[in-house]
Amino acid sequence: MEMLPPLSRTTFRSPAERLLHGRSPARALDGGPQGAGPQAWAELDASVSISTFERYQGWTSSGTVRVGMHWFDRRETADWSTAPHWHDGHGVTWTATPPAAPELALCLCHADPRVREAALGRAAGRPEVLALVLIRCADTEEPVRERARAVLTAELDAAAAAPDLVRTLAPLALLVSPRRYGAWAWELLLERLGSPPADLIVGLAQDADPGMRFAAVRAALAHGLLPADRVADLTADPDARNRLAALRSGELPADRTARLVLTGQTPEVRREALDLALEAGILTPEQLLETAAASQDRVVRRRCEEAARPALETRSTSLPGPLVDSLLAQGRASLRATAVRALRPAGRAGELAAYLADPAARVREAARGELRATGQDPLTHYRALCADSPAPGAVFGLAEAGDASDLPLLRLLARAPDGRVRAAAVSGLRRHGATTPEELLPYLADPHPPAARAARSLVVPYARTRPESWLLGLFAPGRPEPVRVAALLLLELRPLLVRRRIARALTSHRDPAVRGRARKLLQQRLRWDEETGRRAALDLAEGTGTPLDEVVDTEDPAAWSALDIGARSMASYGPEALASRSATALCHWDGRIRERAVAEAAGTPELLPLVVLRCADWAPQVRAAARRVVTGALRDAGEDTLRTLTPMVMHLAKRQQGRWAAEAFEAALREPRYAAVRAQLCTHRDLRTRRAAVRITLEAADSFTALDLARRAAGEPDAVLRDLWTRAALAALAARGSEDAAVDALLASRAGFVRAAGVTALRAAGRAGEASRYLADPSGTVRACARWLLRQDGADARAAYLRLCADSPVPGAVLGLAECGERADSAVLTGLLGHRDGPVRAAALAGLRLLDVPGPGPEALLALLDDPSPAVVREATRSLRPVADRVPTGPLVARTLRDRPAHLRRAALRLLAARGADEGLPALTAALDDPDPAARRIALDLLRGWDWQATARRETFEPRELRTLYQQYYFELDWNEMRRTRLIW
């Protein structure tokens, strides 16, 4: 076997891994400390920090890294779990005391700030790690930073006779100086050197490393070490940081800064140069306008115009002619408008008429204003332009400046050959509101899209007043696509019930867009209650002749019930108004009127739902009359009656007198001649109807195959019907023999109950060996069935779970181990609390509760509240609730602040309420203004259960303070809750 070379010399090993294997910093960095570059030290610091971060956060990981041509387990190449770390009992886990240089270097770069601080206590007199001490002087943690600065100062004082050491550390200090806290080390070294090392700084300004180069450029600019030409060259540097540093240095001449507004290679250079030029006032209004005309930067153009506008309004001299001509040729409308306003002061008022037909409205407005200032009437020019050779801008201008006398000319122009002219004319007609829907129909089909869009906007005011036949006519097969698009937009403006009725006629349209929109409209529903029923009854009682299906959703049983309740609640409105309409008469509070209305509604199919409602009437005479009418409808038109009235019948089935209609319709549905209706009702959108039809259908389950029953069970969204279909499928499998296809259909369901039935059926199908696949199922029922199947074959489910948790744990496997494991398995679950996958950690925490063993203490659980996974936070909250009285209030209150994640704020609120300490009451009331709606709802629910009276008796708060907290909660309640809520002070 060929031996591999020593790991310390292989090119596949990083310097951080070499330190982990005990190599000195000199060998780890492939050179002595004096020869290693500053970038090497910075990269070493970052590499060790990243490698130890998982251990610092309490995570565990495993993986492989490639070394040469072979694959090795990560533990063989770089097992970072063996690196020094912090132990709460005795601090850093040093291998030896004092630590060797590799171990000390690892600790100085560690992700845990406690380890870094402890390592600095042993870094004095260790020159091999002095570079890392310097890096720690810029640490983000203040204790680490202050301790490192003290060590570095002492080391430099001790080596005062060795100036070479300061110069050696200078490049690293310069590299670190741009960091937030990095300037201190650089200033310390400059103090020891006496003057900036110009040759070093200028030389590093050419370094290939971007970070080193930026730090050197920054220092060179601060100390004025670069000539003006070199500073100017930096404005084109590839690094944006260097470009901005050069601009902000103040070393560039004013004219060079002004030129950079146009010639800067990147947007940030151009905009920064403009800021500096405006601040210094080195650009005149003419130069600003020239820059706005020449610049390709949208932000620069806009800001130059904004800066030039005030100066132009206050000055008396005109703009130079060449500049005006240049601005008039610009594509930007605001620049052309500025140039048009400059024509009259420049003595070129004769050119204003040419800009009355400009495509931009602001340019036309500027031209009209300047013409009026010379005493001319722009409308005369517009009429002449539109009569001779109309352009779109001229037509727009005529509509903007004209009056009603110009409407005939606009209508003539709406038939012009040029589509742009037609669009402008139609927009002009819209501006004057002088069109009718019939007149607009040809414009809707205009082949020029702008003209068609203008026509659509004209039709909008008529969308609510035109008859439905007119709107349906827009969807006729001969209509072009633009007309159908316009009709879809107009359909949105009609009331919901009207839209749904029109949509029913469009579900079979040959245009896919029309069909799809119609189906979406049919899915929209109103919420029917007493108030909406009262409004519907009032609309019907007004006598305006409004169709019933425009007032009531005739397909929703709740709408008929709401109409009935709403009509009876309007007794003070007057009996004559409600009795004059058949629909409201059927809902009248006078039984005699209802009885008469039932007899009159016998031949009106649209009123039969209200007649069914009267079958459960409290008056026997009304009830008997209504039942006679319904019996006749079943006899004469059984299929249509069952199809339309079964939802209403099932809606009333639980009323005191509602069973008669339900029993009559169920008996009819059992008849073989209505099998097709029964099949349709099995897929009805109304849940009560669907359940009744399925129950009746399953009475003759022999007509279904086991596969059909299994597929229906797997695809059924309702839990009750899923249970019915599943039990029928299992009965069919037991009676007719197992079918693999039916079992597979059950196992493929998204519902756990159905999958559990499929797992149970595996044994009868001779497929018990597949049970192990479902041991880690997300559903507890499925896992229990899989364990039962394994036990029937003599297998040990616990051993299988232990293997799953050891190899590739998933939440289902972890919970399964807790469900069938022993108390000794708590060690496995405790180990999984550090898993990288959040759901696995959450399942391990839930499993410890299931095993009823001593799990993590309140302190450890409190730390788990900061876990990034919301699932872990939820489980930690559940585990903390029984011991909430042992959790300090302060950390919980801190976790309710707005800067914490929303799921953590919600968990902290629940724990505060479970703890019941008065100190948490301000946090709960403050959460009533939380940006997260769920947190606001939780806080209000928890405050509803708070014992305010006990808090007042304990006198934890001053009365005024408690009253303020109570009022925050009180005014979040609705009116009824306010009346029931009272705090006695």
Side-chain angles (χ1 to χ4, degrees), residues 785-807:
C785 292
R787 290 195 297 270
W788 171 84
L789 206 56
L790 281 180
R791 285 195 294 269
Q792 298 303 310
D793 287 347
D796 186 5
R798 176 174 172 267
Y801 278 125
L802 288 172
R803 286 193 300 272
L804 288 173
C805 291
D807 297 339

Side-chain angles (χ1 to χ4, degrees), residues 544-834:
T544 57
T546 307
L548 181 63
D549 55 0
E550 288 191 15
V551 179
V552 180
D553 188 353
T554 56
E555 294 184 355
D556 191 352
W560 296 109
S561 297
L563 175 65
D564 181 43
I565 297 173
R568 281 190 278 112
S569 66
M570 295 176 61
S572 60
Y573 186 77
E576 294 80 9
L578 291 176
S580 62
R581 191 76 182 263
S582 298
T584 52
L586 282 165
C587 306
H588 205 275
W589 54 87
D590 190 330
R592 292 180 293 271
I593 295 177
R594 292 200 306 277
E595 184 180 5
R596 186 168 62 249
V598 166
E600 293 173 355
T604 310
E606 67 175 4
L607 295 177
L608 281 179
L610 287 174
V611 176
V612 171
L613 190 63
R614 298 280 68 87
C615 288
D617 200 277
W618 60 92
Q621 296 85 350
V622 179
R623 203 160 57 234
R627 291 175 179 180
R628 286 194 296 270
V629 173
V630 171
T631 302
L634 281 173
R635 181 183 61 250
D636 300 336
E639 285 194 7
D640 293 337
T641 302
L642 287 171
R643 190 178 293 110
T644 57
L645 295 184
T646 299
M648 189 68 195
V649 168
M650 298 306 164
H651 180 70
L652 303 171
K654 290 189 177 181
R655 292 197 180 185
Q656 185 176 2
Q657 301 294 336
R659 284 305 306 167
W660 178 88
E663 291 172 357
F665 273 65
E666 288 175 0
L669 285 173
R670 286 186 174 90
E671 297 182 18
R673 56 176 174 161
Y674 295 134
V677 178
R678 192 168 61 240
Q680 292 176 4
L681 295 179
C682 282
T683 58
H684 200 276
R685 67 177 181 85
D686 181 69
L687 185 57
R688 297 185 186 93
T689 304
R690 198 161 73 247
R691 286 179 178 177
V694 169
R695 285 191 179 97
I696 295 171
T697 301
L698 288 178
E699 291 176 0
D702 294 341
S703 58
F704 292 95
T705 65
L707 179 58
D708 291 337
L709 293 169
R711 285 174 176 170
R712 288 177 182 262
E716 176 59 52
D718 179 56
V720 174
L721 293 180
R722 246 190 340 257
D723 179 68
L724 292 176
W725 289 115
T726 303
R727 293 181 186 278
L730 291 177
L733 288 173
R736 306 171 199 170
S738 182
E739 297 181 21
D740 287 342
V743 175
D744 291 337
L746 293 173
L747 292 172
S749 174
R750 298 179 63 181
F753 176 79
V754 181
R755 292 200 306 277
V759 172
T760 306
L762 285 173
R763 183 173 177 82
R767 298 164 56 183
E770 300 179 21
S772 57
R773 298 182 188 175
Y774 304 95
L775 285 174
D777 193 272
S779 170
T781 307
V782 177
R783 294 195 299 269
C785 292
R787 290 195 297 270
W788 171 84
L789 206 56
L790 281 180
R791 285 195 294 269
Q792 298 303 310
D793 287 347
D796 186 5
R798 176 174 172 267
Y801 278 125
L802 288 172
R803 286 193 300 272
L804 288 173
C805 291
D807 297 339
S808 55
V810 294
V814 178
L815 289 172
L817 177 61
E819 290 163 353
C820 70
E822 302 173 356
R823 295 174 67 88
D825 297 329
S826 60
V828 178
L829 299 180
T830 304
L832 291 174
L833 291 176

